[in-house]
Amino acid sequence: MSAPTAARDVLADVDPDVLARSEAALATVGLDPLGLDTTASFEVRDPATEEVIARPADYTPDEALIALDRADRAGAAWARTTARHRSDVLHRAYDLIIEQRDRLALVITREMGKPLAEAYGEVQYAADYVRWYAEEAVRPAGNYRESPRGGSTILTSRAPVGTALLITPWNFPMAMATRKIAPAIAVGCGAVVKPAALTPLTTLVVAEIFVQAGVPEELVQVVTTSKASPLSTALLADPRVRKVSFTGSTGVGSTLLALAAQHVVKSSMELGGNAPLLVFDDADLERAVEGALVAKLRNGGQSCVAANRILVQDGIADAFVEGFTERMSQVVMGNPLGDVQLGPVIDDRAVANFRGWVDDAVARGAELRTGGSAPDRPGHFFEATVLDRVPESAAIAQEEIFGPIASIARFTTEDEGVARANSTPFGLASYIFTADVDRALDVADRLDAGMVGINHGIVSNVAAPFGGIKASGLGREGSSEGLEEYQEIRFYNVARRG
Ligand code: SIN
């Protein structure tokens, strides 16, 4: 079943100096952030080698409640600081992140496995959220309205919502942390942050940098744990938590929403995706190929906005598949500390899923154009893979792949393309490639998606309201909308004379 691939030997050399610098960066991470002398710990492994790289504290629900107590008290004082002060602190945090970008990128790559060049990209993306919210912190938060019948003036204001529980995923361990922490700090909230057990180290460094920048020590409490569910249950049972923001699967998001319902907690949920990428006959071929490549392979395909179903119109399909397969077959896979475009995926379970989905698709008639295999070596690697003519009955046409496999199907008419794009319970990102501006905007309006990339393989941007519809979630992150998720609106109805 294996098809030709140009992927270099996955044992590609790693510069010993880079390896040593990454070890030094890991050694700087404080592993008991609550300072409770907790003896229980759990293992964090490098997905490229499967070696244990750190053992952070494994906090219990009771210890998480200590963290909540601290964040809640610190938050009450922080809410009384001026917007200018909070903005200045965030600006300093931005500068410190940029100063410490090597340390951060190396830690990201060691615990998460993305190629080092992409880790540097994530550091900048994450820092940009901090800078954005430093700027947003001082924007006017209220407004003034006259009652239409006269007799009163309505003044609206925004107040910090209160203590936030921030639950972050493993795929962008830094950017997803700052996208939640920075707006919370900007408006005056305390926060308990629970990073993914697979990648807790980056968040520990980020929290340390916020303190260096002037954030009060107890305001942002990082609670590392291998048992997420009991911890979230205990925290959401406590009425001091007034906000929960989660990035992860739709299943876990639904459970958290049910827990949040107990105390009617304001909730933002950035959940699963199944992004369609539509290439129409009139698309610029090169732009479509390059756009699809980045929409598929950014972060090794491990992103909720990754192109999950590539849908190509009949007239351009053969040329697109040929060009795209050529580019995918040139992808260099290897240790992410080296000069590669594709690192490992996060764990063995992912690799087992990929094998199963590729076999199933081929058995149902899909054509394997390149890749399709996992090398026999330590580390969780899977080749950049292209499957063409994938039937809708194949599991890979339904599942969120979260890996470097491109699943391509073909369509004939615009209506058919849109119908197939919308045929899932999800509605996060989608992508359209066409040279016709009318078509681009009409199709974008008809797609069930919170975000649409038009002739662009990336939707993410700090100035954009990131989020989805349907089973993909509630609320928005980033941009000014992301700030409002940490605020409550109040109004004063002021009687006027006459
Ligand atoms: C995600 O995959 O969860 C977020 C990706 C992004 O911000 O681009």
Side-chain angles (χ1 to χ4, degrees), residues 90-371:
L90 286 170
H91 275 298
R92 272 200 297 279
Y94 173 85
D95 292 341
L96 287 168
I97 288 171
I98 299 304
E99 259 173 43
Q100 298 183 40
R101 62 157 84 82
D102 291 338
R103 177 186 179 208
L104 284 157
L106 289 161
V107 172
I108 292 173
T109 290
R110 287 302 300 274
E111 70 171 346
M112 186 271 153
K114 73 183 64 181
L116 195 51
E118 279 199 61
Y120 277 102
E122 179 175 350
V123 173
Q124 185 62 58
Y125 179 43
D128 283 345
Y129 281 111
V130 177
R131 180 165 54 180
W132 175 269
Y133 285 113
E135 291 159 350
E136 282 293 305
V138 289
R139 301 276 175 262
N143 68 30
Y144 171 101
R145 305 164 202 199
E146 295 295 348
S147 159
R149 286 178 184 277
S152 76
T153 291
I154 295 157
L155 306 176
T156 71
S157 70
R158 290 177 187 275
V161 65
T163 306
L165 169 60
L166 311 177
I167 307 177
T168 57
W170 52 263
N171 60 342
F172 287 89
M174 182 168 180
M176 297 306 98
T178 59
R179 189 153 87 182
K180 295 181 197 301
I181 299 171
I185 291 176
V187 302
C189 296
V192 175
V193 187
K194 199 224 57 78
L198 292 163
T199 58
L201 308 178
T202 307
T203 314
L204 294 171
V205 180
V206 168
E208 184 204 309
I209 291 176
F210 276 126
V211 173
Q212 288 169 14
V215 170
E217 269 200 34
E218 303 213 318
L219 190 74
V220 178
Q221 296 280 298
V222 181
V223 183
T224 48
T225 187
S226 64
K227 298 170 209 76
S229 170
L231 214 108
S232 313
T233 303
L235 289 169
L236 284 166
D238 191 308
R240 288 173 296 178
V241 173
R242 295 309 312 146
K243 165 79 196 176
V244 58
S245 176
F246 168 68
T247 298
S249 72
T250 298
V252 174
S254 306
T255 304
L256 288 170
L257 282 171
L259 292 169
Q262 296 168 93
H263 296 297
V264 195
V265 169
K266 192 170 167 103
S267 305
S268 307
M269 296 284 142
E270 206 260 272
L271 308 178
N274 189 342
L277 183 148
L278 291 153
V279 181
F280 289 96
D281 283 347
D282 60 5
D284 175 320
L285 182 63
E286 200 185 321
R287 218 171 179 189
V289 166
E290 295 308 314
L293 197 73
V294 66
K296 180 70 256 178
L297 276 195
R298 173 173 174 251
N299 217 34
Q302 301 172 107
S303 164
C304 54
V305 291
N308 209 52
R309 293 167 296 142
I310 300 180
L311 305 171
V312 193
Q313 203 165 13
D314 292 328
I316 196 171
D318 286 341
F320 174 86
V321 171
E322 193 187 321
F324 183 69
T325 302
E326 193 187 335
R327 296 287 279 115
M328 287 285 276
S329 66
Q330 290 162 352
V331 166
V332 176
M333 175 172 75
N335 189 301
L337 289 173
D339 183 15
V340 300
Q341 285 108 44
L342 182 62
V345 294
I346 194 68
D347 58 18
D348 259 349
R349 205 166 44 146
V351 175
N353 283 340
F354 301 157
R355 283 186 212 271
W357 291 335
V358 170
D359 289 350
D360 167 74
V362 170
R364 289 172 192 272
E367 295 166 13
L368 180 63
R369 296 299 186 122
T370 190

Side-chain angles (χ1 to χ4, degrees), residues 369-407:
R369 296 299 186 122
T370 190
S373 307
D376 183 18
R377 58 150 289 170
H380 315 299
F381 289 90
F382 200 87
E383 293 172 323
T385 297
V386 178
L387 288 165
D388 187 18
R389 299 184 187 275
V390 175
E392 279 190 83
S393 61
I396 202 164
Q398 315 298 331
E399 300 285 347
E400 185 176 15
I401 301 169
F402 240 72
I405 307 176
S407 167

